[in-house]
């Protein structure tokens, strides 16, 4: 009798506990066929970095999202059904018999699905500690053999280890797309951040089809015009281009520091870092900053000044539209004072440059800078040249023809500029028109 009594009271005690701590027993990171995720439950990654569950951003719709478990102010890094919200008050995220994970609304209609071909075997969905939500076979010997992963379908945020770019085999293209309305509507908005390779790897910020900003070409270590941080930093950047995939990604040296790259619905593009000491996200880098708008100073114009965006013309050039120029509207750029005669022309070195836009550039990986200069000199249509890869003393050759667009010059080499050799008339070789002011260090970094 005594044992039965204590057994019953223990059961009651556990029952009461489970009422008091309804989430406690749900600290799991996995959804299975028999264990869906319902409205008031969440998944928590193993080391409690990330949490996944239903959320309502304030527009009366329900979404499945991922946020930082340790950060009180909800910061959503991924949304599953951004364009197909649940408009009722309840739903389930569940695995169905064909192995896919689906989100159903109150009446059982599927509003979102991982949408993969049917596989034999049981699948499970798991929230990993890097914020990746993956679908895999329960008994797969290779736990990284994902059937589907949220990292392939980014929302507006690039987390460490996520890849911006594409998978040549699967054809999956990973692009960040802003929310429709900041903090309110996670639906697909107008701004996107994408990785492209026209001639060089570059990151582009677009508003619909319009180019707003480009990063500057990748020169082996970083994007031209994108400085490395002094003191070799908390972050590492990577561009891979191989037969399987091509992408940009970053990682943090210390995984207990959080950082994310976000595109907002206003077109603002920021890298933020979580400062545990202040319990806030600090802006590490932000666009727009000065000189950041694509082609701000027009053809042959160089953006240099800080804090105000002030354009200047290269040596031997003058503003095409002086009136606009004086109003600090530089879009018309600069034109040559005297035309080139090809034979007597020389080259002027501009240091610490964000290299011009490369869509019409030619490149040759096999030749060095000296040879590059010789080729440029003998070809009248060559307007400028530079090294292609700045690592290990420099190699390769880039040749620009026609207008040089979207250049920027930094105060010193710490800011990530490169050397650019620009064709000028013989008479312009001697005079130095380009004066640089002493400007504060600005941190530009993707
Ligand atoms: C979920 O939680 C809310 C508020 O805590 C509650 O009103 C609602 O009934 C719960 N829903 C379910 C299905 O448990
Ligand atoms: C569930 O979704 C379907 C399709 O979007 C919709 O027709 C239906 O009204 C929804 N049910 C509820 C309860 O919102
Ligand atoms: C969600 O799953 C729970 C538990 O399996 C079930 O009781 C409930 O009816 C489901 N709700 C919906 C909307 O499918
Ligand atoms: C990582 O960062 C945390 C928090 O800032 C710090 O406490 C810890 O010492 C760092 N670890 C390493 C290996 O630097
Ligand atoms: C180019 O022309 C502008 C205006 O016509 C003049 O101010 C500038 O000094 C000239 N530069 C050179 C290098 O001759
Ligand atoms: C000059 O260079 C361009 C592109 O690099 C090339 O198309 C053209 O044939 C070259 N002309 C000569 C004379 O080499």
């Amino acid at each position: 009798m005594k044992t039965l009594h204590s057994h019953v009271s223990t059961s009651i005690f556990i029952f009461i506990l489970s009422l008091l701590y309804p989430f406690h027993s749900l600290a799991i990171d996995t959804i299975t066929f028999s264990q869906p995720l319902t409205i008031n439950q969440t998944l928590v990654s193993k080391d409690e970095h990330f949490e996944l569950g239903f959320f309502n951003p304030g527009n009366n719709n329900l979404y499945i999202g991922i946020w930082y478990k340790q950060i009180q102010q909800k910061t959503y890094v991924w949304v599953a059904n951004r364009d197909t919200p649940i408009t009722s008050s309840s739903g389930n995220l569940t695995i169905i018999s064909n192995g896919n994970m689906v989100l159903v609304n109150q009446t059982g209609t599927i509003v979102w699905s991982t949408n993969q071909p049917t596989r034999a075997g049981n699948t499970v969905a798991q929230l990993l500690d890097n914020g990746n939500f993956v679908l895999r076979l329960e008994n797969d010997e290779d736990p990284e053999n994902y059937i589907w992963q949220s990292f392939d379908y980014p929302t507006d945020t690039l987390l460490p280890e996520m890849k911006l770019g594409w998978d040549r085999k699967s054809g999956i293209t990973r692009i960040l797309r802003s929310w429709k309305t900041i903090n309110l509507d996670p639906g697909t908005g107008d701004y996107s951040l994408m990785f492209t390779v026209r001639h060089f790897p570059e990151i582009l910020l677009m508003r619909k089809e319009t180019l707003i900003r480009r990063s500057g070409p990748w020169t082996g270590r970083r994007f031209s015009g994108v400085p490395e941080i002094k003191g070799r930093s908390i972050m590492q950047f990577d561009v891979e281009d191989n037969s399987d995939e091509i992408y940009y990604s970053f990682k943090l040296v210390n995984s207990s520091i959080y950082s994310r790259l976000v595109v907002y619905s206003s077109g603002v593009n920021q890298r933020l870092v979580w400062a545990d000491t202040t319990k806030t996200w600090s802006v590490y880098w932000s666009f727009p900053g000065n000189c950041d708008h694509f082609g701000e100073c027009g053809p042959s114009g160089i953006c240099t000044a800080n804090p105000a965006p002030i354009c200047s013309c290269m040596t031997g050039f003058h503003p095409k539209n002086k009136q606009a120029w004086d109003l600090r509207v530089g879009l018309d750029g600069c034109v040559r004072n005297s035309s080139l005669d090809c034979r007597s022309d020389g080259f002027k070195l501009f240091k610490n440059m964000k290299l011009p836009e490369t869509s019409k550039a030619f490149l040759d990986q096999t030749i060095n800078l000296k040879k590059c200069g010789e080729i440029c000199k003998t070809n009248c249509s060559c307007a400028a040249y530079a090294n292609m890869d700045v690592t290990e003393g420099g190699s390769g050759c880039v040749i620009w023809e026609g207008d040089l667009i979207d250049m920027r010059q930094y105060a010193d080499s710490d800011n990530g500029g490169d050397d650019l050799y620009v064709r000028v008339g013989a008479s312009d070789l001697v005079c130095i028109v380009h004066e640089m002011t002493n400007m504060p260090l600005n941190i530009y970094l993707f």
Side-chain angles (χ1 to χ4, degrees):
M1 194 61 200
K2 176 124 198 313
T3 13
L4 181 62
H5 179 202
S6 79
H7 179 74
V8 166
S9 56
T10 308
S11 305
I12 289 169
F13 179 67
I14 289 170
F15 177 69
I16 289 169
L17 252 190
S18 71
L19 284 181
L20 287 174
Y21 302 99
F23 301 101
H24 188 76
S25 59
L26 302 169
I28 48 168
D29 66 357
T30 307
I31 294 172
T32 64
F33 184 72
S34 57
Q35 189 175 40
L37 189 78
T38 63
I39 185 85
N40 283 347
Q41 298 175 328
T42 62
L43 300 183
V44 175
S45 69
K46 184 168 60 65
D47 288 344
E48 306 202 327
H49 285 305
F50 289 98
E51 186 165 26
L52 177 147
F54 289 84
F55 76 99
N56 168 5
N59 64 357
N60 290 323
N61 290 331
L62 275 182
Y63 301 87
I64 288 287
I66 297 175
W67 56 86
Y68 294 90
K69 171 76 176 160
Q70 304 301 333
I71 296 176
Q72 221 160 28
Q73 143 203 5
K74 280 274 172 68
T75 309
Y76 302 104
V77 298
W78 184 74
V79 181
N81 55 321
R82 65 185 310 184
D83 291 311
T84 54
I86 293 182
T87 51
S88 49
S89 60
S90 177
N92 275 346
L93 186 63
T94 182
I95 305 256
I96 57 175
S97 56
N98 72 5
N100 275 297
M101 173 166 54
V102 300
L103 180 63
V104 295
N105 71 7
Q106 211 157 5
T107 47
T109 307
I110 293 176
V111 301
W112 177 87
S113 165
T114 51
N115 219 1
Q116 298 302 305
T118 304
R119 318 220 166 187
N122 291 336
T123 56
V124 297
Q126 186 177 18
L127 180 63
L128 306 181
D129 254 326
N130 59 3
N132 198 5
F133 189 35
V134 303
L135 183 71
R136 56 179 174 78
L137 287 174
E138 192 169 21
N139 299 317
D140 205 315
E141 281 169 8
D142 177 4
E144 292 189 7
N145 186 17
Y146 307 137
I147 297 168
W148 172 95
Q149 55 179 322
S150 64
F151 274 14
D152 280 342
Y153 304 91
T155 305
D156 65 344
T157 301
L158 195 76
L159 293 173
E161 298 177 31
M162 276 177 84
K163 297 169 179 177
L164 195 67
W166 63 93
D167 188 310
R168 295 185 201 271
K169 288 191 169 152
S170 65
I172 289 172
T173 305
R174 307 176 190 102
I175 295 175
L176 304 187
R177 295 183 198 280
S178 68
W179 283 31
K180 239 185 200 123
T181 315
I182 197 161
N183 292 337
L184 193 64
D185 185 350
T188 304
D190 288 345
Y191 288 89
S192 57
L193 192 73
M194 60 178 72
F195 185 80
T196 66
V197 181
R198 294 184 290 180
H199 286 290
F200 283 100
E202 290 186 275
I203 291 179
L204 307 180
L205 176 66
M206 313 284 291
R207 183 180 57 233
K208 295 185 176 157
E209 306 300 316
T210 307
L211 175 61
I212 305 295
R213 174 172 200 260
R214 62 172 199 112
S215 61
W218 178 261
T219 51
R221 242 187 353 231
R222 55 178 164 71
F223 291 96
S224 174
V226 177
E228 293 169 275
I229 320 163
K230 282 181 182 171
R232 204 51 191 169
S233 66
I234 56 169
M235 269 174 254
Q236 286 170 2
F237 305 92
D238 189 23
V239 165
E240 287 295 331
D241 181 358
N242 58 46
S243 56
D244 290 346
E245 53 186 351
I246 174 154
Y247 64 83
Y248 161 79
S249 76
F250 71 97
K251 65 182 181 199
L252 286 150
V253 176
N254 182 340
S255 67
S256 66
I257 293 172
Y258 296 143
S259 178
R260 61 199 168 101
L261 186 63
V262 190
V263 185
Y264 292 103
S265 52
S266 56
V268 169
N269 175 203
Q270 289 182 331
R271 174 179 288 289
L272 300 116
V273 175
W274 179 254
D276 214 30
T277 46
T278 57
K279 303 273 181 245
T280 57
W281 287 103
S282 64
V283 177
Y284 188 83
W285 170 90
S286 182
F287 169 84
N290 295 322
C291 292
D292 263 347
H293 281 281
F294 177 72
E296 193 162 353
C297 292
S300 305
I302 302 177
C303 200
T304 50
N306 219 341
I310 296 174
C311 301
S312 60
C313 290
M314 290 191 293
T315 309
F317 290 73
H318 63 272
K320 187 175 179 189
N321 181 346
K322 178 111 176 37
Q323 217 174 4
W325 196 264
D326 290 342
L327 295 171
R328 294 192 174 176
V329 179
L331 291 171
D332 289 328
C334 309
V335 291
R336 287 185 187 278
N337 282 10
S338 52
S339 52
L340 300 168
D341 79 350
C342 216
R343 274 168 296 111
S344 67
D345 302 340
F347 290 90
K348 188 155 172 48
L349 169 61
F350 290 82
K351 295 188 86 66
N352 309 322
M353 297 290 285
K354 173 181 173 184
L355 297 178
E357 196 266 334
T358 58
S359 63
K360 284 187 221 137
F362 294 84
L363 57 102
D364 188 334
Q365 302 193 32
T366 62
I367 56 179
N368 62 19
L369 193 64
K370 186 158 175 285
K371 183 86 175 114
C372 193
E374 286 164 11
I375 290 174
C376 189
K377 178 138 174 81
T378 56
N379 188 332
C380 294
S381 57
C382 173
Y385 69 95
N387 255 158
M388 202 177 121
D389 187 330
V390 296
T391 52
E392 290 160 28
S395 63
C397 169
V398 197
I399 285 180
W400 284 266
E401 288 193 325
D403 288 333
L404 304 175
I405 297 172
D406 199 31
M407 289 180 288
R408 169 173 191 164
Q409 190 168 37
Y410 294 101
D412 57 50
S413 59
D414 290 338
N415 288 42
D418 294 302
D419 287 353
L420 178 71
Y421 297 84
V422 178
R423 180 178 223 112
V424 295
S427 60
D428 293 324
L429 274 172
V430 284
C431 59
I432 296 163
V433 172
H434 199 83
E435 294 265 319
M436 294 209 50
T437 49
N438 192 17
M439 46 183 133
L441 182 78
N442 214 355
I443 295 294
Y444 284 86
L445 201 88
F446 265 101

